[in-house]
C-alpha cells in the first residue's frame, strides 16, 4: 500500500449530521406568520382617540355657547326690568312735578292781588281751580271781600315756599303748601310767615286744578301800623294750625 492510500484511509470520514439537519430543515413546513387582526385594523386606536377628543371639544363648545346665551338672556331680562323701573320712576316724578307746580301756582295766586286790578287776579285764579271752587270763591269772597280790599287800597304779594304731596294718584292728590305773604294797605303792613294751605287736587283734561282749600293757619304774623296811628287796628294774635 502506498503512502497516498494510507493517508486517504487514515483521514476521517465527513460527519453526516449537518447534512441531515439541513435536509430536515428544508423538509419541514414553513411556520406561517400571524395575520393582522381584521377587527383591529392598523391605526384604529389612534383614530379612536382623535374622535373622542373632537367630541369632547364640541361638547365643551356647545356648553360654552349655551352658558353665554343664558347669561345674555339674564342680562337682557335684567336690563328690561331696570328700564321698566326707571320708566315708572320717571313717570311718577313727572306726575308729582305737575301736581306740585299746580299747587304752588294756585296758593300764590290765591294770596296775591292788587286792589287796582282785582279782575286779573280772579281770572288767574279761575284758571287754576275747578268750577266748584270758583263758585264757592265768588260766593264767599267775590262781592264783600273785594269792596274791603278796594277800600283799604290793599296790595298783597305771596310766595309759595314749599309743597308737600300725599295720596297721589293719576286723578287726585292732596297737597300742603307753605306760603309767605305781605299785605300793604293805607293803614298797615301785615307780614304772614309760614301760612299752611291744604289743597285737594283734581286732574282735569286741561291739567291739575284745585277743588277744595282749607286754611290751616300761620306760624307767625306781624303787623306794622302805617299813616295815622289812630286809624290803625291792633295786630291780631297769630293763628293756630289745626
Amino acid at each position: 500500500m502506498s503512502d497516498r492510500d494510507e493517508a486517504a484511509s487514515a483521514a476521517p470520514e465527513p460527519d453526516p449530521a449537518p447534512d441531515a439537519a439541513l435536509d430536515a430543515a428544508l423538509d419541514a413546513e414553513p411556520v406561517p406568520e400571524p395575520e393582522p387582526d381584521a377587527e383591529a385594523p392598523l391605526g384604529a386606536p389612534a383614530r379612536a382617540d382623535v374622535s373622542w377628543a373632537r367630541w369632547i371639544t364640541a361638547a365643551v363648545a356647545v356648553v360654552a355657547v349655551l352658558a353665554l346665551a343664558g347669561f345674555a338672556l339674564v342680562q337682557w331680562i335684567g336690563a328690561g326690568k331696570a328700564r321698566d323701573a326707571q320708566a315708572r320712576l320717571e313717570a311718577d316724578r313727572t306726575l308729582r312735578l305737575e301736581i306740585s307746580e299746580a299747587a304752588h301756582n294756585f296758593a300764590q295766586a290765591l294770596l296775591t292781588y292788587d286792589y287796582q286790578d282785582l279782575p286779573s287776579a280772579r281770572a288767574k285764579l279761575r284758571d287754576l281751580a275747578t268750577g266748584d271752587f270758583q263758585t264757592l270763591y265768588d260766593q264767599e269772597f267775590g262781592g264783600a271781600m273785594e269792596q274791603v280790599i278796594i277800600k283799604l287800597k290793599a296790595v298783597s304779594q305771596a310766595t309759595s315756599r314749599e309743597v308737600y304731596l300725599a295720596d297721589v294718584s293719576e286723578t287726585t292728590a292732596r297737597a300742603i303748601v307753605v306760603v309767605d305773604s305781605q299785605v300793604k294797605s293805607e293803614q298797615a303792613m301785615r307780614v304772614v310767615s309760614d301760612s299752611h294751605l291744604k289743597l285737594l287736587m283734581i286732574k282735569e283734561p286741561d291739567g291739575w286744578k284745585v277743588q277744595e282749600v282749607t286754611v290751616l293757619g300761620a306760624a307767625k304774623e306781624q303787623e306794622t301800623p302805617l299813616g295815622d296811628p289812630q286809624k290803625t287796628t291792633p295786630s291780631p294774635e297769630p293763628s293756630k294750625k289745626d
Side-chain angles (χ1 to χ4, degrees):
M1 181 179 296
S2 64
D3 294 338
R4 181 178 297 177
D5 294 333
E6 291 178 357
S9 60
E13 295 181 2
D15 188 4
D19 295 334
L22 179 59
D23 293 338
L26 293 174
D27 293 338
E29 295 182 1
V31 179
E33 295 181 0
E35 296 181 359
D37 188 0
E39 296 182 358
L42 184 62
R47 286 197 296 271
D49 292 343
V50 172
S51 298
W52 180 253
R54 289 178 178 173
W55 187 89
I56 292 177
T57 302
V60 171
V62 170
V63 171
V65 170
L66 291 176
L68 289 175
F71 178 76
L73 179 61
V74 171
Q75 291 292 97
W76 181 79
I77 293 174
K81 290 183 178 179
R83 287 193 297 269
D84 292 342
Q86 183 65 28
R88 287 193 297 271
L89 289 175
E90 288 296 331
D92 183 70
R93 180 175 180 273
T94 300
L95 178 64
R96 288 177 173 272
L97 286 176
E98 291 176 356
I99 299 172
S100 296
E101 183 178 7
H104 173 278
N105 292 338
F106 175 86
Q108 200 160 272
L110 180 65
L111 300 177
T112 298
Y113 52 83
D114 187 333
Y115 76 97
Q116 298 180 87
D117 191 10
L118 291 179
S120 296
R122 292 183 62 185
K124 186 175 182 179
L125 191 64
R126 187 179 299 111
D127 292 337
L128 300 171
T130 65
D132 292 341
F133 179 82
Q134 294 174 23
T135 300
L136 179 63
Y137 182 85
D138 290 340
Q139 292 175 352
E140 298 293 332
F141 305 101
M145 181 61 68
E146 287 186 357
Q147 293 303 317
V148 172
I149 292 173
I150 293 173
K151 182 178 180 179
L152 295 176
K153 297 182 179 180
V155 177
S156 176
Q157 182 65 44
T159 302
S160 297
R161 294 196 297 107
E162 296 174 334
V163 178
Y164 303 95
L165 300 180
D167 302 331
V168 176
S169 70
E170 294 292 333
T171 57
T172 61
R174 296 187 181 277
I176 299 289
V177 186
V178 181
V179 187
D180 292 340
S181 62
Q182 175 179 287
V183 183
K184 182 179 180 181
S185 67
E186 287 186 331
Q187 296 181 353
M189 172 76 73
R190 186 171 181 234
V191 178
V192 182
S193 302
D194 292 346
S195 295
H196 286 66
L197 304 180
K198 182 179 179 180
L199 311 179
L200 174 60
M201 313 289 295
I202 302 294
K203 179 65 178 295
E204 293 193 346
D206 57 342
W208 285 90
K209 304 295 182 67
V210 174
Q211 187 176 42
E212 295 180 4
V213 179
T214 303
V215 180
L216 301 180
K220 183 180 180 180
E221 298 181 16
Q222 181 178 359
E223 184 172 305
T224 303
L226 299 176
D228 188 353
Q230 295 181 356
K231 295 182 180 181
T232 61
T233 58
S235 175
E237 293 294 328
S239 58
K240 297 181 180 180
K241 300 178 184 178
D242 294 339

